[in-house]
Amino acid sequence: MADNSQKMSYHAGEAKGQAQEKASGMMDMANNAAQSTKETMQDAGQNVQAKAQGAADAVKNATGMNK
């Protein structure tokens, strides 16, 4: 009886370890996706800022205010 109980305990521990490893892997994937999204959004924001600055400079040049 103790032998069967030990086997069940071992398998339960093994399953728990596998579940924890899978959860850790999923968290890593989620963190990587979040970091990638953050970087993409930062790049997009920088592009918008540069285009806005270019438009402002074009208006200044067109109106003669860029001296």
Side-chain angles (χ1 to χ4, degrees):
M1 187 68 124
D3 187 39
N4 192 26
S5 176
Q6 287 174 339
K7 284 182 184 178
M8 290 178 64
S9 179
Y10 171 80
H11 289 302
E14 194 173 52
K16 179 182 176 186
Q18 289 173 352
Q20 287 173 333
E21 184 63 30
K22 185 174 183 178
S24 177
M26 292 176 77
M27 285 300 296
D28 287 345
M29 287 174 49
N31 285 335
N32 289 342
Q35 182 64 32
S36 178
T37 300
K38 176 184 172 185
E39 291 169 3
T40 299
M41 295 304 292
Q42 286 175 335
D43 289 346
Q46 289 172 350
N47 286 338
V48 169
Q49 186 177 19
K51 287 180 182 181
Q53 184 63 51
D57 290 342
V59 169
K60 287 179 183 179
N61 287 336
T63 60
M65 295 176 62
N66 200 13
K67 294 183 178 181

